[in-house]
Amino acid sequence: MPARSRTTEPLYRIKADLFKCLAHPTRIQVLEVLAAAGDDGASVTRLLEVTGCEASQLSQHLAVLRRTRVVTSSRTGNAVDYWLAEPLVAELLVVARAFLLAGLRPGSEQLRAARELPPLPGASPQAVLDAIAARA
């Protein structure tokens, strides 16, 4: 039997690959930095500063994100800049944050820490939570 090509894989397998790609705190942090940067993108230097990773570690994380087509990059000389490949990735981050906030106990240390995270562009987690509450 011939191997399945990427285009014929079931959608659930492709989704699983996406979620595996997102299954590391550093990659989530990188994506949030890129979401906040918008069309300006972020340089590898900036991503190194924010994440505190070694260059080789960050390179591996960025390779995973590129392989799953979540980010794109552009090289100018020695400088490499990254962007979200699709604005929907930023929305996914907002929804994920709202989902996590909804599950935290009021007054918990995690909730306080989550509210101190930098804002993501687009809908705020609170707006998503309010929309969910309005439907209930």
Side-chain angles (χ1 to χ4, degrees):
M1 180 183 322
R4 283 190 253 177
S5 73
R6 188 87 174 141
T7 57
T8 61
E9 282 185 274
L11 184 56
Y12 63 84
R13 184 168 310 281
I14 295 168
K15 284 182 183 178
D17 288 345
L18 171 64
F19 286 113
K20 279 191 251 179
C21 156
L22 301 176
H24 195 283
T26 299
R27 292 194 287 265
I28 297 296
Q29 188 177 20
V30 164
L31 292 174
E32 288 192 355
V33 169
L34 296 177
D39 292 339
D40 294 334
S43 67
V44 169
T45 303
R46 172 79 177 122
L47 296 173
L48 285 167
E49 289 170 2
V50 171
T51 63
C53 282
E54 295 292 326
S56 61
Q57 289 175 316
L58 181 63
S59 177
Q60 290 175 2
H61 289 302
L62 291 169
V64 169
L65 295 169
R66 277 192 316 269
R67 207 170 27 251
T68 53
R69 296 185 300 270
V70 174
V71 300
T72 60
S73 62
S74 173
R75 177 182 292 275
T76 306
N78 288 335
V80 181
D81 294 314
Y82 283 84
W83 293 266
L84 294 180
E86 175 65 48
L88 288 172
V89 175
E91 291 184 38
L92 178 64
L93 295 169
V94 169
V95 171
R97 188 181 285 184
F99 173 77
L100 294 173
L101 288 175
L104 295 177
R105 201 175 69 253
S108 72
E109 191 63 35
Q110 286 179 321
L111 184 58
R112 280 192 288 282
R115 296 211 184 274
E116 292 177 15
L117 289 170
L120 293 170
S124 70
Q126 189 59 52
V128 174
L129 290 174
D130 291 346
I132 292 168
R135 290 189 311 196

